[in-house]
Amino acid sequence: MSAQTATEESAAPRTEAIASALTSVARPPRPSALSTSVTFGWRALLKIKHVPEQLFDVTVFPVMMTLLFTYLFGGAIAGSPADYIAYIAPGVLVQSVLFITMYTGSNLRTDIDRGVFDRFRSLPIWRPSPLVGMLLGDGIRFLVASLITAAVCLAIGWRPGGGVLGVGAGIALVLVFAFSLGWIWTFLSLVLRTPQAIMGVAGFTLMPLLFGSNIFVDPSTMPGWLQAWVDVNPVSDLVTAVRALMDGTALGGELAMALLWSAGLVAVFGTLTMWRYRDPR
Amino acid sequence: MTQLAIETEGLTKIYGDTRAVDGIDLAIPRGGVHGFLGPNGAGKTTAIRMLATLIRPDGGSGRVLGYDIERQSDEVRSRVGLTGQFASVDEDLSGLENLRLIARLYGFRGAAATARADELLAAFSLDDAADRQVKKYSGGMRRRIDIAASLVVSPELLFLDEPTTGLDPRARNEVWDIIRALVRHGTTVMLTTQYLDEADQLADRISVIDSGRIIAEGTSSELKASVGSGTVHVRVMHRDDRDTARAILSKELGVELDTTHDPQALVAALEDRSGVTRALAALESAGIELAQFALGQPTLDEVFLALTGHAAEDEEAA
């Protein structure tokens, strides 16, 4: 240990002060579910303050994705990157955010391994609030990723017909879906034992969802079996709805489908998560 | 009426083929320190985690402060505190932020949460380190912030899971002082430890646990008495005398004496001490010079060895 800690060790705990601290305050009333969830969201922000590196994935990754896909495929798919950006911008935004959601799982696993999570679980609070708060805090990271992706797309020539409101509504829908998808990763992190395993399974799950979708190309160019998958893939519904919102075109049933999928994910994986949460490994 | 702090019947937890906790019956009164003593992997932490409602039992039942640990877990959680290897604080945050976080989760708002955090930091002499990340704390400071986090609201019962493991002697003494202060205040403490002297120093009653079962229970003196009235340690001045001394002593004391690695030493557990004076006189008349003759209460180490057939501290952490 350093000399600095050695000098601070010289201060022994004051037992009289500890005894008086035990009686000095009345216990406040139990906080609401919302209040504790928001408090855990506040913790996520404090962690960003102390470990700003964790913003790396939400800043650099979306920029890289956007530039790479636009310039790599733009000429081949749409004739030019400038034409392609109009098609791909909403999709690449969805992709950037959904990719980042998988860090939720490995972060939670790290919390569990470090023992912080048992402290939270030992508190008399609304049980899902540490997880809800964590996902709310991640929502901030997802928002940052969305705004950066949108900014890059705008800088390279994207002119969405839906205007600021349309883009804002699209981002809001992506965040709702990302929050819901997060429950899959919280469940995984209570079942699998290492952050690496969680990232592996999450990556494996996200690949077909993101690439087997209408993010990059029009599904009408695909073989029948792939079209069938793209058709049932919830990410396709999400992307179609986000596109319509951002382009300012007519919304189809996809908005309802995307919201329905979100609700379903929370219902299924939220329940599974809370079931494992009572007795995790 | 709930006189007992902890009450369990056949409490069991199974992981795969291992019965981590294998049918534990406890009846622990309120007040004072109850020690849970056993080697690593004995099931101490698993038992504590069940009692603190962190994991669910696979069999048996438990009541903490009168509340069922499965059906009334929320009532239990609002009355107990937990500190240990598995209930820690967020090492990325500062000490102040950690305590504010816990305070807010207990319902303190804004300024009240900060005031409570400041009060605890001062009491635990961590005010200078309040704004530093916990991962930069020393081992002793780290343990103090862990305990402080359990005292944000005063718990009626505090679980301390191996609170001094890995600490240097001085930090260990500080934690002991804290525990004594809590007990004086009226908090019931359930302490797990693999250190026999820690149980001896702090615990009013001790449950000895091995392979998921409680193999003995009682006060420190009762446990010691259960392995006889004491131990005699003898060292002869000249190693050639040892065999003669051994023969004389076993005749006078009525017990077999064991030899140790030390070629001059003999040791035996005594059933009663009445033959000791005669034995000394017999050694003197045989002309055997002694370097040491010590008669002591058995240590908890010896108790543990007698109860389990293996020493308490020879199993290293997994």
Side-chain angles (χ1 to χ4, degrees), chain B residues 50-64:
Chain B
M50 279 192 280
L51 293 172
T53 77
L54 292 179
I55 50 175
R56 296 167 73 83
D58 292 321
S61 64
R63 294 173 82 76
V64 169

Side-chain angles (χ1 to χ4, degrees), chain A residues 172-206:
Chain A
L173 181 60
V174 175
L175 294 183
V176 167
F177 190 86
F179 174 86
S180 312
L181 192 68
W183 290 99
I184 300 184
W185 316 140
T186 55
F187 175 61
L188 279 182
S189 63
L190 294 172
V191 177
L192 302 173
R193 287 166 191 226
T194 64
Q196 290 79 3
I198 293 156
M199 292 297 267
V201 174
F204 193 77
T205 315
L206 278 172

Side-chain angles (χ1 to χ4, degrees), chain A residues 1 4-5 8-15 17-31 35-36 39-40 42-43 46-47 49-51 114-116 118-125 127 278-281, chain B residues 13 49 54-56 74 77-78 82-83 86-94 97 100-102 104-108 116 119 122-125 127 129 132-133 138 141 144 146 149-150 153-154 170 174 177-178 181-182 185:
Chain A
M1 284 293 144
Q4 192 192 9
T5 48
E8 273 168 42
E9 288 274 21
S10 62
R14 299 156 201 152
T15 50
I18 291 170
S20 84
L22 285 170
T23 47
S24 62
V25 290
R27 185 176 184 142
R30 183 175 163 141
S35 159
T36 51
T39 300
F40 281 109
W42 172 69
R43 165 179 179 247
L46 286 175
K47 283 179 92 85
K49 184 186 91 181
H50 285 291
V51 195
R114 282 184 183 169
V116 195
D118 273 356
R119 161 83 63 203
F120 298 152
R121 290 175 61 242
S122 75
L123 298 175
I125 51 176
R127 298 236 86 193
R278 296 193 312 174
D279 196 3
R281 297 229 149 213
Chain B
K13 184 72 186 177
R49 281 163 61 84
L54 292 179
I55 50 175
R56 296 167 73 83
D74 220 45
R77 280 192 284 273
S78 61
L82 174 65
T83 292
F86 295 101
S88 174
V89 297
D90 190 335
E91 49 183 40
D92 286 332
L93 304 190
S94 72
E97 286 164 346
R100 277 177 68 200
L101 176 73
I102 308 280
R104 285 173 65 162
L105 294 172
Y106 273 113
F108 289 93
R116 184 62 178 158
E119 183 181 15
F124 283 84
S125 297
D127 24 4
R132 203 167 340 133
Q133 277 180 290
S138 69
M141 293 161 74
R144 278 188 257 153
D146 285 346
S150 311
V153 296
S154 308
R170 177 182 166 162
E174 288 176 1
D177 286 343
I178 293 170
L182 295 176
H185 166 74

Side-chain angles (χ1 to χ4, degrees), chain A residues 58 93 97 137-150 168 171-172 175:
Chain A
V58 302
L93 195 147
V97 173
D138 279 340
I140 304 286
R141 297 177 354 110
F142 302 157
L143 182 64
V144 171
S146 305
L147 293 177
I148 287 177
T149 313
I171 289 176
L175 294 183

